[in-house]
Amino acid sequence: MVTAWDPESWKPRATRWFAVPEDAVFNNMPGVDAVHSPLVDLCDGKSDAPGSYTTESLEHIAPRVRALFDLSYTRMAVVLRDSGDKHASHVGFVKSDAQHDDFVRLSGAAGDDEQNAVMSPDGRTVWFTYTGQDGRKRIGSRPTEGDHHLSDEGPAAGDDLPLTITGKPARAVQANMVHLAPDGRRLTATVPKVFGTVFDTWNSSGPLSRTSARDAVLLGGCTAVVGWVGDERVLCRTSSGSFRTMNARTGRAVGGPINVVGPKDGTVAEGMLVSPDGTKFIVSVHQPNAERDPDYGYHTPDFRVVPTARGGTASGLADAELDELTVFLSWS
């Protein structure tokens, strides 16, 4: 379910439903090959099930899940299995408000290994990682209309990093926490063993690597990126647990820390989304390690809208539709 909210009153305005097919991989279970898919992040609330990726903070999950949908939330990319097949996986998509068995399978050859399915912003292509005939991992795309032919888009760094589609023409970036700057010239991302947080965009698809990371800027003390607050500034959660605006050119902090929770509150705050004008952001306040807390599902979620500048007043978000699995994906 995707719900549109009024950003002033924070009341629900419209809802679209995406029926997840039985063949879709929405959690990983023992006995079958694990599949990497942001849909597992979105649907799987079981703490004992293997996840898709190694990092599960909300700052990582929110951009992954956003990449499942087109810009207007009319199509959602999925990874599908054949009934009874524990190994092969294929990409497809479902349309909003369609019937449970109404989905489109874009591939189906025996032995397909397609993972990390995400949707292009215009909804015309599904992008994914796959295994080529030479056994190497690649990035591919298939059109949602026509013959669904495979287009090879470039090399992939395995399956365990998610994809994000940016730019015109569309291209894929394989990395964590990908946020495109408003002017489209730079992006934030992280990859293990790659130095930097802010990178220039490039004109081809591929994984973030030491080669593509040339001239990168490291945001000092930034544990996780929440989003851009303008063309030159990025909002980060810091190693101390507070939030801070950082200069994307110098990597230095701009202004003082924004403390959402106190050191004695017994809770942590994770960011999900920055408003288009860069003045506010949404955080989730919860107990530490909540994903491993069997009682967390019974706690009332605590979502707050917080100013990106010190001294402002935060406001709470409360609605029966909001729960501990809610992820805010876009703000427009």
Side-chain angles (χ1 to χ4, degrees):
M1 180 178 72
V2 176
T3 300
W5 299 78
D6 186 303
E8 297 299 327
S9 66
W10 290 107
K11 298 297 182 183
R13 294 165 55 177
T15 297
R16 286 180 176 167
W17 294 87
F18 290 86
V20 179
E22 291 183 1
D23 291 345
V25 180
F26 56 88
N27 64 5
N28 282 314
M29 301 173 292
V32 297
D33 288 354
V35 168
H36 294 82
S37 169
L39 191 62
V40 175
D41 290 330
L42 181 62
C43 296
D44 187 12
K46 294 188 293 186
S47 60
D48 60 343
S52 281
Y53 309 99
T54 57
T55 308
E56 298 302 324
S57 71
L58 285 173
E59 290 94 347
H60 284 74
I61 290 175
R64 290 179 201 158
V65 173
R66 178 63 187 94
L68 288 170
F69 303 94
D70 64 343
L71 193 62
S72 55
Y73 295 97
T74 62
R75 293 178 173 184
M76 180 180 71
V78 294
V79 178
L80 301 159
R81 289 193 189 278
D82 293 332
S83 179
D85 194 325
K86 299 180 179 180
H87 306 291
S89 55
H90 324 277
V91 298
F93 71 94
V94 297
K95 296 181 180 180
S96 61
D97 301 319
Q99 297 298 313
H100 188 74
D101 58 351
D102 185 10
F103 61 92
V104 178
R105 185 183 296 267
L106 300 179
S107 65
D112 274 354
D113 177 21
E114 299 181 343
Q115 305 188 38
N116 290 303
V118 294
M119 185 68 67
S120 65
D122 61 11
R124 295 180 178 178
T125 51
V126 172
W127 294 62
F128 50 93
T129 57
Y130 74 103
T131 304
Q133 293 183 351
D134 59 359
R136 296 182 179 182
K137 295 294 183 179
R138 307 288 297 177
I139 297 172
S141 67
R142 293 184 184 274
T144 55
E145 306 293 340
D147 61 4
H148 311 315
H149 65 277
L150 170 67
S151 294
D152 182 80
E153 304 290 353
D159 291 319
D160 59 354
L161 283 171
L163 297 177
T164 302
I165 311 304
T166 67
K168 290 183 180 181
R171 52 191 178 271
V173 179
Q174 189 178 22
N176 287 311
M177 285 192 301
V178 175
H179 294 281
L180 190 66
D183 62 9
R185 297 178 180 178
R186 287 175 295 169
L187 57 83
T188 60
T190 62
V191 168
K193 299 180 181 180
V194 173
F195 178 88
T197 318
V198 183
F199 308 87
D200 293 333
T201 56
W202 55 96
N203 295 323
S204 59
S205 296
L208 183 63
S209 65
R210 293 179 180 178
T211 300
S212 58
R214 286 177 296 183
D215 301 322
V217 176
L218 179 67
L219 303 180
C222 181
T223 300
V225 174
V226 182
W228 292 79
V229 297
D231 290 330
E232 301 294 332
R233 296 181 178 184
V234 175
L235 182 69
C236 287
R237 177 164 57 88
T238 70
S239 54
S240 67
S242 63
F243 295 86
R244 203 159 196 177
T245 299
M246 315 289 288
N247 186 299
R249 294 289 183 186
T250 66
R252 298 172 182 170
V254 180
I258 304 165
N259 296 308
V260 176
V261 297
K264 298 182 180 180
D265 290 356
T267 57
V268 296
E270 291 183 290
M272 276 188 279
L273 192 62
V274 177
S275 64
D277 62 6
T279 62
K280 299 181 288 291
F281 67 108
I282 296 176
V283 298
S284 171
V285 177
H286 56 80
Q287 294 180 345
N289 301 318
E291 66 275 8
R292 292 185 292 275
D293 179 358
D295 295 326
Y296 180 55
Y298 300 99
H299 294 176
T300 302
D302 186 359
F303 296 106
R304 305 177 190 177
V305 180
V306 181
T308 55
R310 293 185 70 184
T313 302
S315 57
L317 302 181
D319 190 275
E321 289 191 15
L322 301 177
D323 61 26
E324 72 280 0
L325 301 179
T326 296
V327 182
F328 287 90
L329 300 179
S330 60
W331 192 334
S332 58

